[in-house]
Amino acid sequence: MNISILKLFLATILILCLFDMPYGYYQFTRFTAMVGFSYLAYYSNENNKKNEVFIYIVLALLFQPFMKIALGRTIWNIVDLIVGVSLIVSLFRQNAKDKI
């Protein structure tokens, strides 16, 4: 799987959480984010990026749907936005490193 596509997909579904969506969408997002961040942690571990492994594991635990963390709508919107934008920024940084 192309990591860039995964990051862009995760960023998109997280930013869409800022809008008024049905509850099922948020459940889908939590499960998909957990799986996506777990895969990113695995991928980062395979590439010896230990800091990224830690970050992605924390994000997978934060978004996991089994024991929900109640932060409130406003805080979740802030978290979704920060994580989504960070994923997009990481894409641009990776592309810049690839061109060098």
Side-chain angles (χ1 to χ4, degrees), residues 7 83-95:
K7 286 182 177 182
V83 173
V85 169
S86 297
L87 286 168
I88 292 170
V89 168
S90 75
L91 286 174
F92 286 113
R93 283 187 166 180
Q94 186 60 44
N95 288 339

Side-chain angles (χ1 to χ4, degrees), residues 37-91:
F37 288 129
S38 297
Y39 182 78
L40 288 171
Y42 169 78
Y43 179 82
S44 297
N45 186 51
E46 292 295 312
N47 290 294
N48 294 319
K49 298 178 181 178
K50 300 303 178 191
N51 291 335
E52 289 182 22
V53 172
F54 176 75
I55 291 167
Y56 291 135
I57 288 173
V58 168
L59 288 172
L61 291 173
L62 177 65
F63 284 99
Q64 57 81 26
F66 306 112
M67 291 178 21
K68 295 179 182 170
I69 299 171
L71 297 178
R73 171 100 177 162
T74 303
I75 301 296
W76 271 115
N77 282 345
I78 293 169
V79 169
D80 291 337
L81 185 62
I82 289 171
V83 173
V85 169
S86 297
L87 286 168
I88 292 170
V89 168
S90 75
L91 286 174

Side-chain angles (χ1 to χ4, degrees), residues 2-50:
N2 189 339
I3 295 302
S4 297
I5 293 172
L6 176 60
K7 286 182 177 182
L8 186 60
F9 176 72
L10 288 172
T12 302
I13 65 171
L14 289 172
I15 291 171
L16 284 174
C17 286
L18 299 176
F19 300 102
D20 190 24
M21 304 295 268
Y23 184 70
Y25 178 78
Y26 299 108
Q27 291 177 316
F28 166 77
T29 300
R30 290 172 71 89
F31 182 78
T32 305
M34 179 195 66
V35 172
F37 288 129
S38 297
Y39 182 78
L40 288 171
Y42 169 78
Y43 179 82
S44 297
N45 186 51
E46 292 295 312
N47 290 294
N48 294 319
K49 298 178 181 178
K50 300 303 178 191

